[in-house]
């Protein structure tokens, strides 16, 4: 059980890293929803960038590791289906003006989808990875996630 929130920039454990990023994603959704004008546009672009690199790193590093676990294929397939649905909506939002009257309702729908997906990852995927891999392996995964994020696309 994690007692203090991890800092995504400094943690060496992949699960703590990804959970910290989920927290940052939640914060960015709140910031986009609460702001307007250029502030909303900037916060949304930060959110798009983080979602794009985060999901790419999970697809390249985390999901393959989870597939190796008993029942892992089903868990990962469910997460990928959720990600596909969210990416489609994110792509639609990325092409919209953040001042469009339809933007916030669509963003809220994306927020619900993404946060539900994040909770499922944490519950069904991350906890099992934490139980099945050594601290050294989790540290290696964190380094691999950071490397994948460094070269990941910044848009869906």
């Amino acid at each position: 059980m994690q007692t203090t929130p991890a800092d995504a920039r400094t943690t060496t454990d992949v699960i703590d890293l990804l959970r910290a990023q989920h927290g940052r994603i939640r914060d960015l959704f709140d910031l986009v929803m609460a702001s307007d004008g250029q502030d909303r546009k900037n916060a949304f672009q930060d959110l798009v960038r983080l979602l794009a690199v985060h999901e790419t790193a999970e697809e390249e590093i985390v999901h393959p590791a989870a597939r190796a676990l008993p029942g892992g294929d089903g868990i990962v397939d469910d997460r990928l289906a959720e990600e596909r649905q969210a990416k489609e909506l994110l792509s639609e939002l990325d092409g919209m003006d953040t001042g469009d009257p339809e933007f916030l309702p669509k963003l809220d729908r994306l927020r619900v989808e993404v946060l539900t997906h994040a909770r499922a990852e944490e519950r069904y995927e991350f906890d099992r990875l934490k139980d099945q891999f050594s601290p050294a392996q989790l540290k290696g995964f964190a380094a691999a996630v950071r490397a994948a994020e460094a070269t990941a696309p910044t848009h869906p």
Side-chain angles (χ1 to χ4, degrees):
M1 185 93 188
Q2 186 176 336
T3 55
T4 59
D7 184 328
R9 294 166 300 188
T10 60
T11 185
T12 59
D13 179 296
V14 71
I15 304 307
D16 292 341
L17 168 64
L18 296 172
R19 286 180 191 268
Q21 287 180 346
H22 284 174
R24 178 69 181 139
I25 289 165
R26 278 189 295 276
D27 292 347
L28 283 170
F29 270 114
D30 291 345
L31 184 59
V32 175
M33 300 285 284
S35 59
D36 57 16
Q38 190 62 41
D39 289 339
R40 177 182 290 162
K41 186 176 185 175
N42 293 343
F44 180 67
Q45 288 309 311
D46 289 346
L47 176 64
V48 169
R49 203 169 13 265
L50 179 55
L51 286 171
V53 299
H54 175 83
E55 290 306 325
T56 297
E58 284 182 343
E59 289 168 10
E60 291 179 6
I61 309 302
V62 179
H63 295 330
R67 281 194 186 281
L69 303 176
D73 282 334
I75 291 169
V76 172
D77 289 345
D78 289 347
R79 301 300 72 78
L80 289 174
E82 294 162 0
E83 288 172 15
R84 259 190 311 278
Q85 188 173 336
K87 278 182 189 176
E88 289 173 12
L89 186 51
L90 181 61
S91 209
E92 183 180 337
L93 281 161
D94 197 27
M96 289 179 76
D97 181 328
T98 58
D100 186 311
E102 292 182 29
F103 180 81
L104 284 180
K106 287 183 180 190
L107 181 73
D108 190 49
R109 198 169 96 220
L110 176 67
R111 182 185 63 80
V112 169
E113 287 181 15
V114 166
L115 297 183
T116 299
H117 165 74
R119 279 190 299 274
E121 279 182 334
E122 291 174 4
R123 181 176 179 190
Y124 299 113
E125 194 170 5
F126 295 176
D127 288 346
R128 293 187 69 206
L129 289 168
K130 190 104 169 161
D131 290 342
Q132 296 295 315
F133 291 96
S134 72
Q137 288 170 309
L138 295 173
K139 184 177 181 176
F141 289 147
V145 162
R146 284 192 175 94
E149 288 177 342
T151 61
T154 57
H155 289 275

